[in-house]
Amino acid sequence: MTLSIEHLLELIDELPKGQEFDYVKPGKNKAKLISVDKTAKRVEMARVVIETKKESASTLNEDNLQTIVDSVMENKPFSIDKIFNNGGNSRSVWESIIANTSEFYKCMVGKNKNLIWIPTKKKETGTITEIPLSEIPEANNTTHSTASIRADFRYFLSECVKSSRNTNNILGTLGDSAVASYLSMLDKRSDGTIELFDYNPERWSHILSIYQITDPKEAEQIYEELLNDPGFVQRDKEHNSGWRPGALNFYILFLRARNYFSKNTINTKHIVTIKVIEDNSFLPYLTALRTKPFMLLAGISGTGKSRIVRELAKACWTPEDDEYWKDKDKGIRNNNPRNFCMVQVKPNWHDSTELFGYVSRISGKPEFVAGDFLKFVVKAWEEPDVPYFLCLDEMNLAPVEQYFAEYLSVIESRKSAGGIITTDPLFKKPFEDRVYETNIKYGDEIDWYQQLVIQLTSNEDLQQQFYKEGITIPQNLFVVGTVNMDETTFSFSRKVLDRAMTIEMNEVDLYGGLEEGASEIGYIGNCVIGTAAEGKDVYIENKDLCDQVIAYLEKVNAILEGTPFKIAYRTRNEFLLYAVNRQLLDKDSQLWQTLDEMTSMKILSRIEGDSERTKEPLNALKTLVEENLLNQIPEPEEGKEKAKSITAPKIKEMLDKLEKQGYTSYWT
């Protein structure tokens, strides 16, 4: 559905005249609707200062209305500030009046206020209602009206095209007048003609709107024909000084970009939605999980390792969600949401039966008894847009390579296609030649695998998927193991460490967590769900950043040459993914932070042994970190502490342990 000026005026006209309305962001002012003239396509409003009742007139004219409707698409957030380039006080008045109509809602994208047009979801006229992003109906991306294409092109001109006149500003973009001039060349005029073709309208009369042309090759053919036509060249020279071909040239560039990204679209269900994280100390956890959905939290007992996994699961819900509350009336928050599962590892585990399950023949015929891990995997499949967290508590009380062998193998089969990450089956289909049917009733013909699938889920699409492919690891499942390294536990092999992201939690602040809400992360939405599985998935679009990371890793490998600690492609991929994901989650992220965190997670965690084996590489890494990371830490603003390295003190700790004991490792 396309918004028109007429429809927008109808919505505004439903509001009572002379009434003051709250701003979308309440403050010292209110918006007042005075009149709506549908014939002249004009709305008279006023900004009212609450304290003094002083009014300032504001007019929404036809040009303003056209700009708005050209920028609005059904079920897609938009910003009035951005539409009008943050100019003037009137935009807040316009925004507030529109937000009070029956089809427009307020929504927050990150910390930024937006409006959204949802014509299928009417609300009470004269109210501003905020809608969570999770409740917004899915936008129809298959249809693109000429108005929406023009709106996208306008954004392209405003935000992406650099003006050659802005010689002192490499980021300078076109001004409002230049954007308007380029659009006027391609827009239809009041007499129905397009200015681009007014020198020879009969030749181009079949083109009703330039925005109906979405194939760049077709636009290029028109461009070539125009430039080879002396009449067009003369007309442009006399009246427009190159603006006409310039406008069409920009439109061709826009179409090329638009067509490329429409063919290479990431699954929008897994794009970062919201991140409201006041404490950036949580950023390494989110970035690590977005890079690889398998993480180890190591440290002394009582530092909150398992608690942070629970808090991550809780942070996926807002107070508007039922899952947020255990008892909403009493204000009691749910501490055990459905997307969290705690499995306590037992010392006697030597295979996967406790996690995945086993085939029982007690009844006389084979029946599969599913374990908690397998049940949770299927629950995650049923809700793919919600991150699901499985915590393996005290993970190394038993040998991980034995009871978790299937997962360790399958996690390395992750592949990304169009932003969807798939894996080999975690639980294989046992009868390859069997063709299963849905809705089958229990009986003699059903085998144990089909019975298992039916018991695990009633979703027929998932049943068919499991029948055809086996049960694979869903993209939204995150496994976090808590680790205490002492004489009662097993050490980790390099096979496990290479497949996991490792974060150490030994810092203790005895005053920490005493304040109300101090342990809460905030709302993270689905930002933790990654869309890339290998370095090649992010390299081309982030080449400069990735090349800097690789240059650092080459120095690391030069140090580790001839040792069993040398890194290979798996670690390189995770460094690249971590660097890109950290910038995605925190636009102010600095490269030294990425390299510092990952060096601790993926390089130091591999190093263990006696002096002959570890002293030289550790000392060389110490020098490398000082020269390449510590020197890059910026000086803090006045009154703030300087950022600290994770890797440097860890190397010192490992070297001190080596000197005292003759043996060292990453693990405390």
Side-chain angles (χ1 to χ4, degrees):
M1 185 175 178
T2 302
L3 181 65
S4 65
I5 292 179
E6 291 74 18
H7 185 62
L8 181 57
L9 287 171
E10 288 286 348
L11 294 174
I12 296 174
D13 197 34
E14 292 173 357
L15 295 170
K17 313 305 181 289
Q19 182 172 320
E20 295 177 5
F21 298 93
D22 288 333
Y23 269 25
V24 172
K25 185 178 181 181
K28 299 179 180 180
N29 304 313
K30 287 199 173 189
K32 183 177 181 179
L33 177 61
I34 298 173
S35 65
V36 178
D37 188 339
K38 297 179 186 176
T39 304
K41 298 180 180 178
R42 187 182 184 89
V43 182
E44 298 295 342
M45 311 177 192
R47 174 171 59 92
V48 182
V49 180
I50 296 174
E51 186 176 347
T52 64
K53 290 298 180 181
K54 181 180 178 180
E55 295 186 10
S56 301
S58 175
T59 300
L60 192 57
N61 60 31
E62 183 176 0
D63 289 341
N64 305 140
L65 289 164
Q66 188 66 57
T67 300
I68 292 171
V69 299
D70 284 346
S71 304
V72 174
M73 294 182 67
E74 182 179 353
N75 302 338
K76 285 196 173 184
F78 67 95
S79 167
I80 290 287
D81 291 346
K82 289 186 178 179
I83 290 175
F84 294 99
N85 298 314
N86 296 309
N89 293 321
S90 291
R91 56 188 166 82
S92 294
V93 179
W94 301 344
E95 177 186 62
S96 302
I97 292 297
I98 292 171
N100 274 279
T101 63
S102 61
E103 294 179 1
F104 283 83
Y105 289 75
K106 172 188 175 182
C107 66
M108 299 299 293
V109 179
K111 296 183 178 180
N112 300 316
K113 60 182 174 66
N114 280 248
L115 298 185
I116 184 166
W117 178 47
I118 311 179
T120 58
K121 188 181 177 71
K122 297 264 188 180
K123 65 177 177 65
E124 183 182 351
T125 299
T127 61
I128 293 179
T129 303
E130 182 172 345
I131 185 169
L133 292 183
S134 59
E135 294 182 12
I136 295 173
E138 187 170 349
N140 182 0
N141 293 317
T142 60
T143 59
H144 298 275
S145 66
T146 56
S148 68
I149 294 174
R150 182 189 184 278
D152 289 345
F153 180 50
R154 183 184 183 283
Y155 177 84
F156 175 80
L157 291 174
S158 301
E159 302 294 333
C160 307
V161 175
K162 180 181 180 296
S163 170
S164 61
R165 298 181 182 181
N166 295 335
T167 54
N168 295 325
N169 184 359
I170 62 170
L171 299 177
T173 53
L174 296 180
D176 293 347
S177 59
V179 171
S181 296
Y182 279 124
L183 289 174
S184 70
M185 299 298 148
L186 305 184
D187 285 345
K188 190 175 285 189
R189 301 187 297 193
S190 57
D191 62 0
T193 62
I194 299 173
E195 187 161 346
L196 182 68
F197 304 129
D198 66 355
Y199 79 103
N200 187 9
E202 293 81 11
R203 166 68 184 87
W204 306 103
S205 60
H206 64 286
I207 299 179
L208 302 178
S209 170
I210 200 73
Y211 304 112
Q212 289 178 334
I213 299 172
T214 57
D215 183 350
K217 291 184 178 179
E218 183 180 351
E220 288 167 13
Q221 290 174 356
I222 296 172
Y223 183 77
E224 291 295 329
E225 184 174 341
L226 290 174
L227 289 185
N228 290 323
D229 187 329
F232 171 82
V233 174
Q234 184 63 30
R235 178 75 169 178
D236 182 62
K237 183 178 180 181
E238 292 174 354
H239 295 275
N240 305 111
S241 302
W243 283 88
R244 292 172 182 236
L248 188 55
N249 185 47
F250 280 139
Y251 186 64
I252 292 168
L253 295 176
F254 160 73
L255 289 181
R256 287 176 181 169
R258 178 178 179 273
N259 284 14
Y260 172 81
F261 287 110
S262 67
K263 293 175 182 176
N264 297 275
T265 302
I266 293 174
N267 182 354
T268 55
K269 290 184 177 180
H270 300 306
I271 290 177
V272 175
T273 53
I274 288 184
K275 183 180 77 69
V276 184
I277 303 171
E278 301 299 333
D279 185 353
N280 268 356
S281 63
F282 292 111
L283 194 59
Y285 302 95
L286 297 174
T287 312
L289 287 172
R290 189 174 169 87
T291 300
K292 189 76 168 285
F294 179 32
M295 182 167 69
L296 302 179
L297 297 181
I300 61 177
S301 181
T303 53
K305 296 184 292 295
S306 58
R307 181 179 180 83
I308 199 170
V309 188
R310 188 186 299 271
E311 291 298 325
L312 285 167
K314 290 165 61 179
C316 298
W317 308 99
T318 70
E320 287 75 28
D321 299 315
D322 291 339
E323 198 64 26
Y324 185 90
W325 302 103
K326 180 178 181 180
D327 189 328
K328 189 171 184 179
D329 293 336
K330 295 181 179 179
I332 301 174
R333 187 166 180 187
N334 185 4
N335 200 45
N336 192 34
R338 65 175 181 266
N339 61 325
F340 173 75
C341 178
M342 173 82 77
V343 176
Q344 296 171 330
V345 175
K346 304 295 190 298
N348 62 341
W349 286 7
H350 292 283
D351 58 39
S352 61
T353 55
E354 292 291 341
L355 284 177
F356 295 101
Y358 57 92
V359 177
S360 170
R361 290 178 169 80
I362 294 177
S363 65
K365 60 180 180 180
E367 294 179 352
F368 195 89
V369 180
D372 290 341
F373 182 88
L374 187 61
K375 292 176 182 177
F376 195 69
V377 167
V378 175
K379 284 178 64 178
W381 266 117
E382 292 179 331
E383 204 169 7
D385 300 332
V386 176
Y388 269 64
F389 296 88
L390 180 113
C391 180
L392 288 174
D393 200 28
E394 303 284 0
M395 188 179 190
N396 57 331
L397 280 178
V400 179
E401 298 85 347
Q402 295 180 25
Y403 73 82
F404 215 38
E406 291 90 341
Y407 181 89
L408 293 175
S409 296
V410 171
I411 194 66
E412 289 308 299
S413 68
R414 299 168 76 242
K415 296 288 182 184
S416 176
I420 301 297
I421 297 177
T422 59
T423 71
D424 290 345
L426 185 67
F427 195 87
K428 296 181 180 179
K429 174 183 174 181
F431 311 108
E432 291 298 330
D433 58 344
R434 179 70 185 269
V435 178
Y436 293 102
E437 300 176 4
T438 55
N439 298 321
I440 189 170
K441 296 181 180 179
Y442 290 100
D444 296 335
E445 294 300 318
I446 193 169
D447 61 40
W448 65 262
Y449 181 70
Q450 188 168 10
Q451 181 178 343
L452 169 66
V453 170
I454 293 171
Q455 289 175 342
L456 289 173
T457 180
S458 59
N459 184 308
E460 293 184 3
D461 291 335
L462 274 182
Q463 288 176 358
Q464 283 300 312
Q465 177 182 314
F466 296 158
Y467 293 153
K468 294 176 182 177
E469 304 172 9
I471 301 176
T472 58
I473 300 176
Q475 189 168 354
N476 60 321
L477 177 70
F478 301 91
V479 176
V480 183
T482 67
V483 179
N484 292 324
M485 298 301 289
D486 57 37
E487 66 278 358
T488 68
T489 61
F490 289 85
S491 61
F492 287 111
S493 69
R494 201 161 293 121
K495 174 182 178 180
V496 176
L497 295 176
D498 279 355
R499 285 160 171 77
M501 308 295 287
T502 303
I503 296 181
E504 193 174 34
M505 295 177 61
N506 280 321
E507 294 294 324
V508 178
D509 176 8
L510 297 181
Y511 285 96
L514 297 178
E515 297 178 1
E516 183 69 26
S519 64
E520 295 185 0
I521 296 173
Y523 178 52
I524 64 173
N526 63 3
C527 73
V528 73
I529 302 178
T531 58
E534 300 174 279
K536 67 179 182 180
D537 298 330
V538 298
Y539 179 76
I540 298 299
E541 293 183 2
N542 303 276
K543 189 173 185 300
D544 290 344
L545 174 62
C546 291
D547 283 345
Q548 293 179 72
V549 174
I550 292 172
Y552 174 80
L553 290 179
E554 287 179 333
K555 295 177 182 178
V556 170
N557 253 1
I559 291 172
L560 301 179
E561 186 68 45
T563 74
F565 315 128
K566 186 176 179 180
I567 65 167
Y569 299 117
R570 182 186 293 120
T571 302
R572 177 210 62 187
N573 286 343
E574 288 165 4
F575 261 83
L576 298 184
L577 291 173
Y578 191 93
V580 172
N581 284 325
R582 202 184 199 285
Q583 284 205 341
L584 178 65
L585 294 175
D586 178 13
K587 62 182 178 61
D588 297 323
S589 177
Q590 299 174 35
L591 181 60
W592 78 266
Q593 294 170 310
T594 292
L595 298 178
D596 184 58
E597 290 163 3
M598 281 297 283
T599 301
S600 176
M601 288 186 204
K602 302 299 297 185
I603 305 298
L604 297 185
S605 62
R606 302 162 56 86
I607 298 176
E608 65 175 338
D610 56 20
S611 293
E612 184 177 350
R613 195 181 197 190
T614 63
K615 186 175 183 178
E616 185 176 338
L618 280 174
N619 278 314
L621 285 172
K622 177 184 177 183
T623 302
L624 178 68
V625 167
E626 290 172 350
E627 294 177 352
N628 290 266
L629 303 185
L630 300 187
N631 290 340
Q632 301 301 316
I633 301 177
E635 290 300 318
E637 298 177 10
E638 187 175 349
K640 293 186 177 181
E641 291 186 8
K642 188 173 183 178
K644 297 179 180 179
S645 166
I646 298 171
T647 300
K650 189 63 184 179
I651 293 176
K652 182 179 183 304
E653 176 191 309
M654 293 174 71
L655 285 170
D656 289 346
K657 186 190 300 185
L658 185 65
E659 184 177 347
K660 293 176 182 178
Q661 302 176 7
Y663 183 92
T664 194
S665 74
Y666 175 85
W667 310 97
T668 300

